[in-house]
Amino acid sequence: QVQLVESGGGLVQAGDSLTLSCAVSGGAVGSYSMAWFRQAPGKEREFVARNTRSGDTTFAVDSVLGRFTVSRDNAKNMVYLQMNMLKSEDSAVYSCAATQRWLTMSTWTMESQYDFWGQGTRVTVSS
């Protein structure tokens, strides 16, 4: 059974940087399409970005373009979300998710397509 554990969240100030990590166990991260979702207080969880098996990254939230980067280290079985120039609206619980399904443009943002989830790590950005 694949398990995902996020870490790296915390309280930062606007403009700071933060790197979230997602440790994968029970399976090789290289065989999974990985994604990051976030859920702000009082809002629904939203897809942030995905990183394919081949390492391609797709962002779905325009507001993070140019500020966030997703990467993976297959040797360490880790996935990362590097967040720069953080804003108060980035405050949320960030979760990583994994799937072995073949996703398309119409499905890769859908929570239901990801079979494995971490517990989430909270990011709070003070303005």
Side-chain angles (χ1 to χ4, degrees):
Q1 180 76 2
V2 173
Q3 291 186 325
L4 311 178
V5 179
E6 302 93 337
S7 61
L11 173 62
V12 296
Q13 293 186 340
D16 285 351
S17 297
L18 205 58
T19 299
L20 305 183
S21 301
C22 176
V24 180
S25 61
V29 71
S31 63
Y32 292 86
S33 180
M34 303 296 296
W36 285 94
F37 289 76
R38 68 183 181 184
Q39 186 169 21
K43 295 186 178 181
E44 294 187 352
R45 185 157 56 186
E46 66 173 352
F47 173 93
V48 176
R50 72 165 187 148
N51 185 264
T52 67
R53 295 170 184 81
S54 59
D56 295 327
T57 300
T58 305
F59 291 95
V61 181
D62 290 344
S63 64
V64 308
L65 292 177
R67 299 189 298 119
F68 288 15
T69 303
V70 181
S71 62
R72 67 168 67 200
D73 187 330
N74 289 342
K76 295 182 178 180
N77 244 24
M78 298 286 292
V79 178
Y80 306 97
L81 179 65
Q82 171 70 43
M83 305 183 294
N84 299 320
M85 296 300 295
L86 283 162
K87 305 176 181 180
S88 58
E89 52 262 43
D90 295 320
S91 295
V93 175
Y94 286 74
S95 300
C96 64
T99 184
Q100 289 187 309
R101 306 180 194 223
W102 289 102
L103 305 177
T104 66
M105 289 182 64
S106 62
T107 62
W108 67 47
T109 64
M110 299 170 63
E111 293 182 44
S112 61
Q113 299 300 302
Y114 294 86
D115 299 305
F116 305 99
W117 291 81
Q119 82 290 348
T121 185
R122 184 176 300 276
V123 174
T124 303
V125 184
S126 63
S127 57

